[in-house]
PDB file of all heavy atoms in Angstrom:
ATOM      1  N   GLN A1015      58.854 -16.329 -78.566  1.00  0.00           N
ATOM      2  CA  GLN A1015      59.729 -15.214 -78.281  1.00  0.00           C
ATOM      3  C   GLN A1015      61.169 -15.607 -78.644  1.00  0.00           C
ATOM      4  O   GLN A1015      61.944 -14.732 -79.194  1.00  0.00           O
ATOM      5  CB  GLN A1015      59.655 -14.886 -76.764  1.00  0.00           C
ATOM      6  CG  GLN A1015      60.457 -13.610 -76.431  1.00  0.00           C
ATOM      7  CD  GLN A1015      59.923 -12.401 -77.095  1.00  0.00           C
ATOM      8  OE1 GLN A1015      58.748 -12.040 -77.054  1.00  0.00           O
ATOM      9  NE2 GLN A1015      60.739 -11.754 -77.936  1.00  0.00           N
ATOM     10  N   GLU A1016      61.589 -16.852 -78.419  1.00  0.00           N
ATOM     11  CA  GLU A1016      62.975 -17.251 -78.827  1.00  0.00           C
ATOM     12  C   GLU A1016      63.209 -17.153 -80.291  1.00  0.00           C
ATOM     13  O   GLU A1016      64.188 -16.619 -80.713  1.00  0.00           O
ATOM     14  CB  GLU A1016      63.174 -18.657 -78.286  1.00  0.00           C
ATOM     15  CG  GLU A1016      63.311 -18.828 -76.767  1.00  0.00           C
ATOM     16  CD  GLU A1016      61.996 -18.758 -76.091  1.00  0.00           C
ATOM     17  OE1 GLU A1016      60.930 -19.057 -76.686  1.00  0.00           O
ATOM     18  OE2 GLU A1016      61.939 -18.372 -74.866  1.00  0.00           O
ATOM     19  N   ASP A1017      62.211 -17.589 -81.051  1.00  0.00           N
ATOM     20  CA  ASP A1017      62.337 -17.515 -82.512  1.00  0.00           C
ATOM     21  C   ASP A1017      62.243 -16.056 -83.010  1.00  0.00           C
ATOM     22  O   ASP A1017      62.885 -15.658 -84.022  1.00  0.00           O
ATOM     23  CB  ASP A1017      61.282 -18.350 -83.189  1.00  0.00           C
ATOM     24  CG  ASP A1017      61.655 -19.872 -83.236  1.00  0.00           C
ATOM     25  OD1 ASP A1017      62.785 -20.220 -82.711  1.00  0.00           O
ATOM     26  OD2 ASP A1017      60.850 -20.697 -83.706  1.00  0.00           O
ATOM     27  N   THR A1018      61.405 -15.274 -82.319  1.00  0.00           N
ATOM     28  CA  THR A1018      61.298 -13.847 -82.636  1.00  0.00           C
ATOM     29  C   THR A1018      62.607 -13.147 -82.514  1.00  0.00           C
ATOM     30  O   THR A1018      63.055 -12.384 -83.396  1.00  0.00           O
ATOM     31  CB  THR A1018      60.227 -13.152 -81.750  1.00  0.00           C
ATOM     32  OG1 THR A1018      58.949 -13.687 -82.015  1.00  0.00           O
ATOM     33  CG2 THR A1018      60.230 -11.692 -82.045  1.00  0.00           C
ATOM     34  N   ASP A1019      63.370 -13.427 -81.416  1.00  0.00           N
ATOM     35  CA  ASP A1019      64.642 -12.786 -81.191  1.00  0.00           C
ATOM     36  C   ASP A1019      65.607 -13.171 -82.316  1.00  0.00           C
ATOM     37  O   ASP A1019      66.455 -12.344 -82.704  1.00  0.00           O
ATOM     38  CB  ASP A1019      65.182 -13.207 -79.809  1.00  0.00           C
ATOM     39  CG  ASP A1019      64.362 -12.669 -78.629  1.00  0.00           C
ATOM     40  OD1 ASP A1019      63.633 -11.636 -78.855  1.00  0.00           O
ATOM     41  OD2 ASP A1019      64.443 -13.142 -77.521  1.00  0.00           O
ATOM     42  N   ILE A1020      65.590 -14.453 -82.667  1.00  0.00           N
ATOM     43  CA  ILE A1020      66.511 -14.894 -83.706  1.00  0.00           C
ATOM     44  C   ILE A1020      66.231 -14.219 -85.006  1.00  0.00           C
ATOM     45  O   ILE A1020      67.110 -13.720 -85.704  1.00  0.00           O
ATOM     46  CB  ILE A1020      66.426 -16.466 -83.834  1.00  0.00           C
ATOM     47  CG1 ILE A1020      66.959 -17.108 -82.553  1.00  0.00           C
ATOM     48  CG2 ILE A1020      67.142 -16.934 -85.046  1.00  0.00           C
ATOM     49  CD1 ILE A1020      66.695 -18.607 -82.472  1.00  0.00           C
ATOM     50  N   LEU A1021      64.940 -14.261 -85.473  1.00  0.00           N
ATOM     51  CA  LEU A1021      64.605 -13.682 -86.729  1.00  0.00           C
ATOM     52  C   LEU A1021      64.807 -12.170 -86.785  1.00  0.00           C
ATOM     53  O   LEU A1021      65.157 -11.558 -87.783  1.00  0.00           O
ATOM     54  CB  LEU A1021      63.161 -13.982 -87.136  1.00  0.00           C
ATOM     55  CG  LEU A1021      62.863 -15.427 -87.521  1.00  0.00           C
ATOM     56  CD1 LEU A1021      61.408 -15.583 -87.914  1.00  0.00           C
ATOM     57  CD2 LEU A1021      63.759 -15.943 -88.604  1.00  0.00           C
ATOM     58  N   SER A1022      64.490 -11.525 -85.661  1.00  0.00           N
ATOM     59  CA  SER A1022      64.709 -10.108 -85.527  1.00  0.00           C
ATOM     60  C   SER A1022      66.146  -9.688 -85.711  1.00  0.00           C
ATOM     61  O   SER A1022      66.470  -8.759 -86.540  1.00  0.00           O
ATOM     62  CB  SER A1022      64.277  -9.649 -84.187  1.00  0.00           C
ATOM     63  OG  SER A1022      64.414  -8.227 -84.029  1.00  0.00           O
ATOM     64  N   GLN A1023      67.052 -10.464 -85.184  1.00  0.00           N
ATOM     65  CA  GLN A1023      68.501 -10.126 -85.395  1.00  0.00           C
ATOM     66  C   GLN A1023      68.905 -10.434 -86.807  1.00  0.00           C
ATOM     67  O   GLN A1023      69.586  -9.620 -87.500  1.00  0.00           O
ATOM     68  CB  GLN A1023      69.390 -10.979 -84.459  1.00  0.00           C
ATOM     69  CG  GLN A1023      70.883 -10.570 -84.609  1.00  0.00           C
ATOM     70  CD  GLN A1023      71.790 -11.425 -83.788  1.00  0.00           C
ATOM     71  OE1 GLN A1023      71.671 -12.656 -83.606  1.00  0.00           O
ATOM     72  NE2 GLN A1023      72.872 -10.781 -83.159  1.00  0.00           N
ATOM     73  N   GLY A1024      68.476 -11.500 -87.366  1.00  0.00           N
ATOM     74  CA  GLY A1024      68.784 -11.854 -88.733  1.00  0.00           C
ATOM     75  C   GLY A1024      68.276 -10.881 -89.713  1.00  0.00           C
ATOM     76  O   GLY A1024      69.006 -10.431 -90.616  1.00  0.00           O
ATOM     77  N   TYR A1025      67.060 -10.476 -89.609  1.00  0.00           N
ATOM     78  CA  TYR A1025      66.402  -9.505 -90.432  1.00  0.00           C
ATOM     79  C   TYR A1025      67.177  -8.134 -90.324  1.00  0.00           C
ATOM     80  O   TYR A1025      67.505  -7.555 -91.340  1.00  0.00           O
ATOM     81  CB  TYR A1025      64.978  -9.292 -90.017  1.00  0.00           C
ATOM     82  CG  TYR A1025      64.210  -8.231 -90.827  1.00  0.00           C
ATOM     83  CD1 TYR A1025      63.543  -8.557 -92.013  1.00  0.00           C
ATOM     84  CD2 TYR A1025      64.169  -6.917 -90.337  1.00  0.00           C
ATOM     85  CE1 TYR A1025      62.833  -7.545 -92.740  1.00  0.00           C
ATOM     86  CE2 TYR A1025      63.495  -5.925 -91.075  1.00  0.00           C
ATOM     87  CZ  TYR A1025      62.850  -6.262 -92.212  1.00  0.00           C
ATOM     88  OH  TYR A1025      62.109  -5.285 -92.904  1.00  0.00           O
ATOM     89  N   GLY A1026      67.482  -7.718 -89.102  1.00  0.00           N
ATOM     90  CA  GLY A1026      68.140  -6.458 -88.934  1.00  0.00           C
ATOM     91  C   GLY A1026      69.549  -6.438 -89.590  1.00  0.00           C
ATOM     92  O   GLY A1026      69.937  -5.474 -90.228  1.00  0.00           O
ATOM     93  N   LEU A1027      70.274  -7.508 -89.421  1.00  0.00           N
ATOM     94  CA  LEU A1027      71.633  -7.592 -90.006  1.00  0.00           C
ATOM     95  C   LEU A1027      71.603  -7.672 -91.543  1.00  0.00           C
ATOM     96  O   LEU A1027      72.305  -6.916 -92.252  1.00  0.00           O
ATOM     97  CB  LEU A1027      72.368  -8.749 -89.450  1.00  0.00           C
ATOM     98  CG  LEU A1027      72.913  -8.709 -88.081  1.00  0.00           C
ATOM     99  CD1 LEU A1027      73.355 -10.052 -87.566  1.00  0.00           C
ATOM    100  CD2 LEU A1027      74.024  -7.701 -88.012  1.00  0.00           C
ATOM    101  N   LEU A1028      70.692  -8.426 -92.105  1.00  0.00           N
ATOM    102  CA  LEU A1028      70.563  -8.561 -93.543  1.00  0.00           C
ATOM    103  C   LEU A1028      70.162  -7.217 -94.159  1.00  0.00           C
ATOM    104  O   LEU A1028      70.776  -6.811 -95.222  1.00  0.00           O
ATOM    105  CB  LEU A1028      69.614  -9.717 -93.809  1.00  0.00           C
ATOM    106  CG  LEU A1028      70.079 -11.125 -93.525  1.00  0.00           C
ATOM    107  CD1 LEU A1028      68.845 -12.096 -93.623  1.00  0.00           C
ATOM    108  CD2 LEU A1028      71.193 -11.526 -94.487  1.00  0.00           C
ATOM    109  N   LYS A1029      69.273  -6.541 -93.554  1.00  0.00           N
ATOM    110  CA  LYS A1029      68.744  -5.220 -94.078  1.00  0.00           C
ATOM    111  C   LYS A1029      69.858  -4.270 -94.029  1.00  0.00           C
ATOM    112  O   LYS A1029      70.051  -3.450 -94.882  1.00  0.00           O
ATOM    113  CB  LYS A1029      67.516  -4.782 -93.323  1.00  0.00           C
ATOM    114  CG  LYS A1029      66.227  -5.529 -93.578  1.00  0.00           C
ATOM    115  CD  LYS A1029      65.747  -5.235 -95.050  1.00  0.00           C
ATOM    116  CE  LYS A1029      65.077  -3.897 -95.104  1.00  0.00           C
ATOM    117  NZ  LYS A1029      64.397  -3.673 -96.448  1.00  0.00           N
ATOM    118  N   TRP A1030      70.670  -4.250 -92.876  1.00  0.00           N
ATOM    119  CA  TRP A1030      71.776  -3.283 -92.757  1.00  0.00           C
ATOM    120  C   TRP A1030      72.756  -3.487 -93.869  1.00  0.00           C
ATOM    121  O   TRP A1030      73.254  -2.513 -94.502  1.00  0.00           O
ATOM    122  CB  TRP A1030      72.374  -3.449 -91.383  1.00  0.00           C
ATOM    123  CG  TRP A1030      73.503  -2.505 -91.188  1.00  0.00           C
ATOM    124  CD1 TRP A1030      73.494  -1.207 -90.844  1.00  0.00           C
ATOM    125  CD2 TRP A1030      74.959  -2.828 -91.467  1.00  0.00           C
ATOM    126  NE1 TRP A1030      74.753  -0.685 -90.797  1.00  0.00           N
ATOM    127  CE2 TRP A1030      75.693  -1.586 -91.168  1.00  0.00           C
ATOM    128  CE3 TRP A1030      75.652  -3.982 -91.782  1.00  0.00           C
ATOM    129  CZ2 TRP A1030      77.010  -1.541 -91.190  1.00  0.00           C
ATOM    130  CZ3 TRP A1030      77.014  -3.836 -91.923  1.00  0.00           C
ATOM    131  CH2 TRP A1030      77.693  -2.719 -91.659  1.00  0.00           C
ATOM    132  N   HIS A1031      73.125  -4.754 -94.172  1.00  0.00           N
ATOM    133  CA  HIS A1031      74.078  -4.979 -95.235  1.00  0.00           C
ATOM    134  C   HIS A1031      73.532  -4.516 -96.609  1.00  0.00           C
ATOM    135  O   HIS A1031      74.306  -3.912 -97.369  1.00  0.00           O
ATOM    136  CB  HIS A1031      74.442  -6.508 -95.276  1.00  0.00           C
ATOM    137  CG  HIS A1031      75.442  -6.969 -94.290  1.00  0.00           C
ATOM    138  ND1 HIS A1031      76.773  -6.709 -94.440  1.00  0.00           N
ATOM    139  CD2 HIS A1031      75.287  -7.592 -93.129  1.00  0.00           C
ATOM    140  CE1 HIS A1031      77.417  -7.233 -93.401  1.00  0.00           C
ATOM    141  NE2 HIS A1031      76.519  -7.709 -92.543  1.00  0.00           N
ATOM    142  N   SER A1032      72.222  -4.697 -96.804  1.00  0.00           N
ATOM    143  CA  SER A1032      71.678  -4.310 -98.148  1.00  0.00           C
ATOM    144  C   SER A1032      71.697  -2.798 -98.286  1.00  0.00           C
ATOM    145  O   SER A1032      71.670  -2.302 -99.415  1.00  0.00           O
ATOM    146  CB  SER A1032      70.260  -4.881 -98.238  1.00  0.00           C
ATOM    147  OG  SER A1032      69.343  -4.148 -97.422  1.00  0.00           O
ATOM    148  N   MET A1033      71.644  -1.995 -97.212  1.00  0.00           N
ATOM    149  CA  MET A1033      71.585  -0.604 -97.227  1.00  0.00           C
ATOM    150  C   MET A1033      72.955   0.104 -97.008  1.00  0.00           C
ATOM    151  O   MET A1033      72.964   1.326 -96.995  1.00  0.00           O
ATOM    152  CB  MET A1033      70.564  -0.125 -96.171  1.00  0.00           C
ATOM    153  CG  MET A1033      69.208  -0.629 -96.381  1.00  0.00           C
ATOM    154  SD  MET A1033      68.086  -0.345 -94.947  1.00  0.00           S
ATOM    155  CE  MET A1033      68.005   1.504 -94.954  1.00  0.00           C
ATOM    156  N   ASN A1034      73.980  -0.659 -96.794  1.00  0.00           N
ATOM    157  CA  ASN A1034      75.298  -0.018 -96.544  1.00  0.00           C
ATOM    158  C   ASN A1034      76.443  -0.722 -97.387  1.00  0.00           C
ATOM    159  O   ASN A1034      77.504  -0.967 -96.872  1.00  0.00           O
ATOM    160  CB  ASN A1034      75.634  -0.273 -95.066  1.00  0.00           C
ATOM    161  CG  ASN A1034      74.771   0.641 -94.142  1.00  0.00           C
ATOM    162  OD1 ASN A1034      75.015   1.732 -93.857  1.00  0.00           O
ATOM    163  ND2 ASN A1034      73.623   0.047 -93.754  1.00  0.00           N
ATOM    164  N   SER A1035      76.164  -0.825 -98.604  1.00  0.00           N
ATOM    165  CA  SER A1035      77.079  -1.453 -99.513  1.00  0.00           C
ATOM    166  C   SER A1035      78.177  -0.436-100.006  1.00  0.00           C
ATOM    167  O   SER A1035      79.102  -0.853-100.707  1.00  0.00           O
ATOM    168  CB  SER A1035      76.401  -2.108-100.740  1.00  0.00           C
ATOM    169  OG  SER A1035      75.591  -1.116-101.406  1.00  0.00           O
TER     170      SER A1035
END
Side-chain angles (χ1 to χ4, degrees):
Q1015 187 61 58
E1016 289 74 26
D1017 281 356
T1018 294
D1019 293 340
I1020 291 168
L1021 289 184
S1022 179
Q1023 184 183 40
Y1025 177 88
L1027 284 170
L1028 291 168
K1029 288 288 286 186
W1030 179 82
H1031 278 283
S1032 74
M1033 299 169 66
N1034 290 271
S1035 55

